[in-house]
Amino acid sequence: MSAPVQAPRGTFDVLPADARRRTLIEGAARKVLEAAGYERIETPAFESTELFARGVGEATDVVQKEMYTFDDGGGRSLTLRPEGTAPICRAYVGHGMHKLAQPVKLWYLGSYFRHEAPQAGRYRQFWQVGAEALGSDDPAVDAESIALLAELLAELGVRGLRLRLSSLGAHDTRAAYREELQAYLHAHADRLAAEVRARIELNPLRAFDSGDPGTQAVMADAPLLLDRLGDEDRAHFAAVRALLDDAGLAYEVDGTLVRGLDYYTRTVFEFTSDELGAQSGVGGGGRYDGLVEQLGGAPTPGMGWAAGVERIMLAAGDQPQALPPVDLYVAFVGAEHRRAAFRIAALARHAGLHAQLELAGRGLKGQLKHAGRLRARYVAILGDEGTALKDMETGEQRELEPDAVIAAVQRVGL
Ligand code: AMP
């Protein structure tokens, strides 16, 4: 026998117990987001590589080293989507959604792909639930978006949550700050980790994320973008904070909060959970007022977030969900009764019952044992002596006509 084929590193199978839990997460997302007028959108699993190069930013880790990019055989470069915001902005432009009433509010749930070193809570294919609101720069959009993620995480029982909040200001503020930070990093280059030093030109903000103690000491005194905001951005940030205060949402203003993607402007935020280890981010996002224009659309403000489904499950301390019980198990003794048994099971399902049929050729004892394992409420037994219905709770059994089985199960109640 040859060796079994393995799943690729950093991927996982969603087994049935896990799938049931995910269905609950999807249901909660639908409930919370649709109550606020967000509508579901799906975009393709792969896109033109250009979308992410232009949207996410050439200098980001995601674009530089984490994308699964391939040639489709026709000379086109395609990429498995590493994130959901740029594709949604592409769809907004492509479908002329600027003509709809603004803001256009969309939510999604799907799998994303990043070539990262796998570890607990970090995979190469992972699921995200996300929400985006395009077409309004009102600070209430920011606060509402953040509050909706808070509500979703609370609804799902995510424990040890913390919310960090900051503002990156407008694009030109950020560009000027970037130069200031670069000068500061160059002045302290001897105390920085080699990896941080090598990226001063490309992505200086990432120095705030470094785990290196020397770098951290330098960054403790680094200038903060939050202290450089222009008047309008400061007012916008103050309005967002006031709305969050009114909503009773606790947060910590953290000027070192840097998101890994280049498109953010103004508000950025992240929820972390103390239940998670090194990969503590549960979900986050922010405002991206320049992104739609960068992708060829008219200037359009946007705000959104994405949360990792696996991180949510880890931080909620999930127990596998039990299967819904079986109302009726149809057993039969003798192959000549299979057709009648099949018919009863099918009709029972049409009648709205959860019904299963014996499919493995077990003897009667084996069938009853299996029905017990499935926590079946009733078992119908078809055989040469006629048809019987067994109540699995009381153990009582009575004879009846085959056509009376479904009505009997429905009548006695479940
Ligand atoms: P990001 O788009 O990087 O802001 O990620 C948003 C959320 O997706 C994070 O807070 C995580 O919960 C989740 N996430 C990002 N990358 C991964 C990954 N490689 N594996 C699992 N979850 C991830």
Side-chain angles (χ1 to χ4, degrees):
M1 228 166 37
S2 51
V5 177
Q6 306 284 332
R9 239 165 75 73
T11 67
F12 52 85
D13 297 308
V14 176
L15 298 178
D18 203 15
R20 288 194 286 279
R21 179 62 184 148
R22 286 164 184 265
T23 305
L24 293 184
I25 293 179
E26 181 167 351
R30 177 172 298 113
K31 188 179 112 193
V32 169
L33 295 168
E34 295 191 353
Y38 282 74
E39 291 188 281
R40 182 80 182 246
I41 184 169
E42 295 285 348
T43 60
F46 55 84
E47 297 270 0
S48 298
T49 302
E50 185 196 358
L51 174 67
F52 302 112
R54 270 167 71 178
V56 176
E58 296 275 11
T60 59
D61 279 354
V62 168
V63 171
Q64 288 239 313
K65 48 186 189 194
E66 294 173 3
M67 297 207 305
Y68 284 96
T69 294
F70 57 97
D71 185 301
D72 74 347
R76 284 170 294 263
S77 178
L78 301 179
T79 291
L80 295 181
R81 58 183 181 184
E83 61 94 53
T85 305
I88 283 173
C89 291
R90 173 196 54 67
Y92 178 91
V93 175
H95 296 282
M97 291 193 222
H98 63 281
K99 290 187 231 133
L100 304 175
Q102 307 292 302
V104 174
K105 296 181 282 188
L106 303 165
W107 77 276
Y108 55 89
L109 189 148
S111 58
Y112 294 82
F113 307 85
R114 292 184 194 171
H115 189 270
E116 296 191 87
Q119 61 180 87
R122 192 158 79 189
Y123 313 99
R124 290 179 169 174
Q125 179 179 6
F126 56 97
W127 268 252
Q128 283 187 338
V129 53
E132 314 287 347
L134 290 119
S136 167
D137 64 0
D138 192 314
V141 172
D142 307 42
E144 186 175 81
S145 167
I146 296 169
L148 287 170
L149 179 52
E151 191 184 333
L152 176 61
L153 297 175
E155 169 107 11
L156 292 169
V158 176
R159 299 167 302 174
L161 274 179
R162 272 180 227 234
L163 168 59
R164 292 191 298 148
L165 184 71
S166 190
S167 174
L168 302 179
H171 217 74
D172 48 349
T173 313
R174 202 165 150 190
Y177 167 76
R178 197 182 140 99
E179 282 180 23
E180 182 186 357
L181 183 63
Q182 280 168 335
Y184 177 82
L185 292 172
H186 279 303
H188 298 87
D190 53 327
R191 291 165 60 206
L192 298 176
E195 175 201 89
V196 173
R197 210 161 42 228
R199 308 191 59 197
I200 295 179
E201 298 312 320
L202 202 58
N203 200 347
L205 270 86
R206 289 304 286 206
F208 285 108
D209 282 349
S210 170
D212 166 65
T215 305
Q216 284 176 345
V218 172
M219 297 320 285
D221 295 324
L224 292 178
L225 181 48
L226 205 49
D227 300 326
R228 301 288 183 272
L229 299 186
D231 291 344
E232 280 183 28
D233 293 338
R234 230 189 349 258
H236 186 275
F237 191 44
V240 173
R241 291 198 319 263
L243 289 165
L244 291 176
D245 292 338
D246 290 348
L249 212 66
Y251 58 84
E252 184 190 323
V253 173
D254 179 352
T256 70
L257 178 61
V258 179
R259 309 263 323 140
L261 315 172
D262 258 4
Y263 48 62
Y264 290 112
T265 52
R266 293 191 160 174
T267 312
V268 285
F269 72 98
E270 184 164 61
F271 282 95
T272 55
S273 166
D274 300 336
E275 298 290 318
L276 301 175
Q279 301 302 313
S280 63
V282 179
R287 193 162 262 295
Y288 44 86
D289 290 346
L291 181 55
V292 170
E293 190 177 6
Q294 215 168 302
L295 295 174
T300 309
M303 164 82 203
W305 49 258
V309 170
E310 295 74 35
R311 303 260 178 101
I312 289 175
M313 292 169 72
L314 285 169
D318 283 310
Q319 300 301 316
Q321 294 296 304
L323 268 175
V326 175
D327 304 322
L328 175 67
Y329 191 85
V330 187
F332 59 94
V333 185
E336 63 278 21
H337 298 290
R338 177 185 288 112
R339 283 178 72 178
F342 186 95
R343 192 167 157 270
I344 290 177
L347 288 174
R349 287 190 292 266
H350 280 302
L353 298 175
H354 288 189
Q356 291 193 37
L357 170 72
E358 169 61 19
L359 294 171
R362 276 174 277 252
L364 181 59
K365 223 172 124 196
Q367 294 184 58
L368 288 170
K369 196 168 157 200
H370 184 57
R373 257 195 313 257
L374 293 173
R375 297 188 295 129
R377 183 68 181 81
Y378 292 94
V379 179
I381 305 163
L382 279 64
D384 290 344
E385 291 97 71
T387 301
L389 188 65
K390 185 177 169 86
D391 182 328
M392 296 293 277
E393 249 170 42
T394 62
E396 272 168 42
Q397 188 168 320
R398 63 186 173 102
E399 308 282 318
L400 76 185
E401 288 302 311
D403 287 346
V405 166
I406 295 167
V409 170
Q410 284 175 323
R411 195 164 43 242
V412 283
L414 297 162

